[in-house]
Amino acid sequence: MDPEIVNSEIANPQATVPMPSTAPNPALAELQDIIHPDPIGAWPWAIGYWLVLALVITLITLLVIWLRKRARDLAPKKAAKQLLSQLDRQAPSYVSEVNSVLKRTAMSYLSREAIASLDGKAWATWLDNYLPEHKRQRIGPLLAKRHQPTPLTLAEANELHELAQAWLASKAKLSAPEPTQHHAQILPTDTQQAEAQC
């Protein structure tokens, strides 16, 4: 043996470890490569995601329907406010014009038969039901002056304008006026007389 090889083997004992043979092992030859699972994709979503998506779509749809309905419900009052602001408060017909705007607005929400027949105290009482508590009992006397030969003073016209604006700004749902006491008393009497005649 060559002395240099011997000295190198003594100096480095790990180098003397025999190297495994490079011949293939027959047991390893039958092994196959590791199969990686498919990466997790975004589709199909789990049922929870579908339920959340359905809930969000439903809520958005309901919100759009509610906003459209609200806009449709508020459109007559919005148009009436614009019309009211265009009226000349110093005109002799101002009271009649305000009364007409209020009636037309009320008829936009309720039937014509329920509102058109209201006049005088019944009309003022019905309007008062939708005014704030501290502004009630003031619109009736002002609207009654439409039949007077002298027009409203500017202060009265401003007060009527403020009351009409307050009525139009009311968020309460309008309901048909109840029949007056006079009509309520007549109806039962008429039916009793008709029954007596039979």
Side-chain angles (χ1 to χ4, degrees), residues 33-39:
D33 287 338
I34 297 174
I35 300 174
H36 296 286
D38 292 335

Side-chain angles (χ1 to χ4, degrees), residues 63-130:
L63 180 66
V64 168
I65 290 170
W66 179 77
L67 288 174
R68 281 185 164 180
K69 183 180 182 303
R70 186 170 186 263
R72 187 178 61 243
D73 289 347
L74 294 178
K77 284 188 176 184
K78 184 178 179 182
K81 284 179 185 178
Q82 290 175 347
L83 188 60
L84 189 65
S85 65
Q86 295 172 356
L87 296 178
D88 180 19
R89 295 183 195 179
Q90 295 178 344
S93 61
Y94 180 71
V95 181
S96 295
E97 291 170 351
V98 169
N99 188 58
S100 175
V101 167
L102 293 177
K103 274 224 178 179
R104 283 188 286 163
T105 305
M107 284 190 277
S108 297
Y109 293 100
L110 301 172
S111 68
R112 182 176 184 84
E113 296 80 26
I115 299 299
S117 63
L118 290 178
D119 198 23
K121 186 162 178 56
W123 172 239
T125 303
W126 187 80
L127 288 174
D128 276 339
N129 290 334
Y130 302 100

Side-chain angles (χ1 to χ4, degrees), residues 17-23:
V17 177
M19 296 295 286
S21 68
T22 57

